[in-house]
Amino acid sequence: MTEDEKAIRPEDITRLFVERANAGDAAGIAALYEEDAVMAFPPGERTVGREAIRSLWDKVLTQGPHFELEDPLPTLVSGDIALTSTPAKDGTGVRAQVVRRQPDGSWLRLLDQPESNPKN
């Protein structure tokens, strides 16, 4: 695994996220997001921008969480925009991301809603 590996298909981002998170690679996770991406996390808050996303994951990953790959729902694609989603195994609803094709043909997250029904 390398931070340089890119998502060739929209669905690749989820696999790359899980691999990088389990490796403790916050910079690698952040590299999956566009520079001005918006993530709805922590619950009830927004984290805006790749650097803020990296900083957030630096903190989260110090707790040593383990992530499992979740079975995706069908991806919806319209031109250079796609919607990816997965039912969460941890009971936090459905995870949804809007991703955009980059000039080199790879995909990056633009909007990320990792929990649609966060645990209290």
Side-chain angles (χ1 to χ4, degrees):
M1 177 195 55
T2 171
E3 183 179 320
D4 295 334
E5 183 179 357
K6 296 182 177 183
I8 303 305
R9 302 171 308 134
E11 300 85 359
D12 293 340
I13 294 178
T14 299
R15 174 186 56 81
L16 292 169
F17 171 88
V18 169
E19 289 173 0
R20 293 171 187 188
N22 288 337
D25 183 3
I29 291 172
L32 299 172
Y33 290 83
E34 287 194 356
E35 202 60 48
D36 296 324
V38 177
M39 182 173 63
F41 192 81
E45 298 181 35
R46 294 183 327 148
T47 302
V48 180
R50 183 181 289 159
E51 183 55 30
I53 291 169
R54 186 206 52 77
S55 179
L56 173 75
W57 282 107
D58 267 338
K59 292 173 190 161
V60 170
L61 294 176
T62 62
Q63 300 169 18
H66 178 77
F67 294 85
E68 291 185 36
L69 195 56
E70 298 166 333
D71 295 326
L73 296 172
T75 299
L76 301 174
V77 179
S78 178
D80 290 336
I81 301 290
L83 173 67
T84 62
S85 56
T86 57
K89 289 182 178 180
D90 65 4
T92 56
V94 175
R95 306 180 199 288
Q97 301 83 31
V98 174
V99 300
R100 182 167 30 205
R101 188 185 334 258
Q102 304 300 299
D104 68 357
S106 67
W107 294 83
L108 292 176
R109 285 182 175 168
L110 174 62
L111 301 170
D112 186 4
Q113 177 76 53
E115 298 181 350
S116 61
N117 184 25
K119 295 178 184 177
N120 295 325

